[in-house]
Amino acid sequence: MKVPFSPPRIDERTLEAVAGVLRSGWITTGPQVRHFEERLTEYTGCRATVCLNSASAGLELALRWFGLGPGDEVIVPAYTYAASANVVIHCGATPVFVDSGPDFNLDPEAVLRAITPRTKVVMPVDIGGWPCDYEALREVLNRPGVRDAFVPATEAQRGLGRILLLADAAHSFGAVYKGKRIGTQADLSVFSFHAVKNLTTAEGGAVCFHLPPPFDAQAEAARLRTKSLHGQSRDAFSKMNSPGWRYDILEPGYKCNMTDIQAAMGLVELERYDEQLEKRRRIMHRYDEAFAGDPRFTTPCWKDGDSHSSYHLYMLRLNNTSESQRDAVIASVFAREVAVNVHFVPLPMMTYYRNAGYDIKDYPGAYQSYACEISLPVYYDLSPEMQELVIASLMGALNEHGLQG
Ligand SMILES: Cc1ncc(COP(=O)(O)O)c(C=O)c1O
């Protein structure tokens, strides 16, 4: 493959950082993880951060922290990766899908229509790194009619007194909504550091807390951290470094902590992250130059006023093109040794969710976005020559299928 889709940025600095941890004698959760959490809190501007082994774990722990269970509903976009909805099922609750707008993100009006007295959580997803309309979402959740209809059942739910805004920010680390970074827009925001994400720790994720009073973000973060380690009152590092071997089990917790090896990678990535964002921004700008004036394409939203994307995915749409034509174009691009991708097959089209009774006909916005979408490569090591090859390959593939300009 001349142009892979999304290789990680691994260089000597990453290798040295990982080797340093391996040589240190402490390889699981310890000082590197704590340091990474502090740096993430500073970078995003949130109040506290907990690092975990994935965003999926972060989303599930966040739902469990809020006390989600059978009978509860969580509003999730139909147009997202399975993790967003699967974690709701794990908790025994019901995902209620809503349709998306022309920017791929969930539509706040559709959220309002989907709220019932059973709704406990709204989970917006910043698709491709482009922030959802958080102002509109917060306004919906704070409407007197919506707030008053909320029926709290746990301590956390009583403390908040309304539906939780839990951002699936798996794609949007570093994105800015109306002048403020993602991590400060929702009550809790969950980032992914999976291998294909902008900032990677191979596998990994983080939950950023930005809860309103009366919550003490540090105390709630500590509670979530305990949940991530079998409910142990002290982790292995603190047991080793302070007298006394005793510990207690406070609850039947889970096992999804981040290791110091992962955090060491993350710290290197974070230090140079703004440079990476700038490179990604320039790549998107070049794609816009190539495609924006051409009636065959709809280019994605990645900047508007004082909001910008994390430039994670360049989600191009082919106008007046069917799903099968789009697939044929992708096959021709691959034949030119350029990897592209599709984000996402809407969840109501997936076997499990289809069998559970969801029907894609109820989500026309999600289907339209999916059927003609092609994600183009965006990453730090994508050279200008590689990018020109991507553009030429796509144009060539369109010509091959009779879709000339
Ligand atoms: C929208 C979305 N949410 C959640 C996740 C889960 O992230 P992780 O792989 O870190 O669990 C992904 C992963 O790609 C994603 O795309």
Side-chain angles (χ1 to χ4, degrees):
M1 198 56 78
K2 288 180 187 151
V3 183
F5 184 69
S6 185
R9 184 183 178 190
I10 303 291
D11 58 14
E12 281 308 314
R13 280 196 63 197
T14 323
L15 297 176
E16 267 172 37
V18 168
V21 172
L22 292 175
R23 288 195 194 99
S24 76
W26 191 266
I27 56 174
T28 185
T29 313
Q32 299 283 331
V33 171
R34 294 296 161 259
H35 187 38
F36 189 35
E37 289 176 344
E38 283 161 17
R39 293 286 296 108
L40 290 168
T41 301
E42 266 168 45
Y43 187 84
T44 58
C46 75
R47 301 193 174 114
T49 303
V50 178
C51 284
L52 300 165
N53 65 6
S54 69
S56 304
L59 289 167
E60 181 163 340
L61 284 201
L63 294 176
R64 293 189 185 277
W65 167 86
F66 202 51
L68 202 80
D72 294 334
E73 293 176 353
V74 178
I75 295 178
V76 181
Y79 192 77
T80 183
Y81 179 59
S84 321
N86 285 357
V87 294
V88 176
I89 307 267
H90 296 172
C91 295
T94 306
V96 174
F97 292 133
V98 297
D99 208 2
S100 22
D103 67 351
F104 293 102
N105 283 340
L106 95 181
D107 171 7
E109 284 301 315
V111 169
L112 179 63
R113 288 193 296 275
I115 290 173
T116 76
R118 290 181 296 282
T119 309
K120 289 284 164 53
V121 181
V122 169
M123 190 194 292
V125 183
D126 302 327
I127 300 287
W130 175 243
C132 293
D133 188 350
Y134 285 99
E135 210 167 80
L137 288 168
R138 283 194 302 262
E139 193 273 321
V140 163
L141 301 192
N142 282 308
R143 278 190 197 185
V146 172
R147 249 192 121 103
D148 298 345
F150 181 69
V151 188
T154 66
E155 200 187 321
Q157 292 173 17
R158 279 187 287 276
L160 191 64
R162 60 159 167 79
I163 294 169
L164 179 76
L165 188 58
L166 168 62
D168 177 340
H171 299 180
S172 57
F173 184 73
V176 169
Y177 175 79
K178 300 203 171 173
K180 292 198 172 141
R181 287 222 169 98
I182 296 302
T184 60
Q185 297 303 316
D187 299 310
L188 304 177
S189 304
V190 180
F191 296 110
S192 172
F193 306 136
H194 174 265
V196 301
K197 300 300 189 294
N198 292 12
L199 188 159
T200 186
T201 58
E203 295 283 352
V207 181
C208 286
F209 286 74
H210 208 65
L211 291 159
F215 289 102
D216 170 348
Q218 293 295 340
E220 299 305 332
R223 214 178 280 212
L224 197 99
R225 208 171 275 126
T226 303
K227 225 180 237 318
S228 76
L229 237 180
H230 281 302
Q232 240 175 252
S233 56
R234 299 166 70 203
D235 66 18
F237 191 72
S238 72
K239 279 199 300 176
M240 190 190 72
N241 286 291
S242 56
W245 57 268
R246 279 192 186 277
Y247 63 92
D248 195 8
I249 296 296
L250 306 173
E251 60 172 313
Y254 304 86
K255 184 65 171 65
C256 47
N257 49 309
M258 179 181 272
T259 69
D260 266 18
I261 302 171
Q262 292 166 299
M265 286 180 74
L267 281 162
V268 170
E269 293 276 285
L270 186 55
E271 209 173 288
R272 59 195 188 186
Y273 192 61
D274 286 343
E275 176 201 345
Q276 170 160 191
L277 282 183
E278 177 51 23
K279 181 89 181 264
R280 288 175 169 268
R281 191 194 65 75
R282 287 205 300 267
I283 291 170
M284 291 210 169
H285 178 72
R286 173 68 194 114
Y287 281 141
D288 269 8
E289 278 178 355
F291 303 120
D294 188 324
R296 288 175 297 175
F297 304 106
T298 299
T299 51
C301 232
W302 51 268
K303 173 137 187 62
D304 184 16
D306 52 358
S307 299
H308 70 73
S309 174
S310 63
Y311 320 112
H312 177 51
L313 298 172
Y314 191 87
M315 299 170 73
L316 187 65
R317 275 171 283 194
L318 305 180
N319 295 331
N320 309 314
T321 307
S322 68
E323 188 179 345
S324 58
Q325 279 175 310
R326 185 274 316 270
D327 289 351
V329 168
I330 288 183
S332 296
V333 174
F334 266 89
R336 290 164 166 83
E337 292 197 64
V338 169
V340 292
N341 215 329
V342 173
H343 295 89
F344 289 97
V345 180
L347 294 180
M349 293 174 72
M350 298 296 196
T351 302
Y352 172 80
Y353 288 99
R354 209 176 50 233
N355 289 346
Y358 300 94
D359 187 342
I360 190 60
K361 289 198 189 70
D362 298 327
Y363 312 96
Y367 182 75
Q368 274 159 27
S369 286
Y370 149 74
C372 62
E373 195 270 348
I374 301 185
S375 300
L376 304 183
V378 182
Y379 46 92
Y380 186 83
D381 293 321
L382 187 80
S383 68
E385 295 72 33
M386 289 160 89
Q387 186 169 20
E388 293 313 312
L389 183 60
V390 175
I391 295 167
S393 301
L394 179 57
M395 294 302 196
L398 289 170
N399 289 342
E400 195 182 312
H401 293 280
L403 301 162
Q404 284 94 345

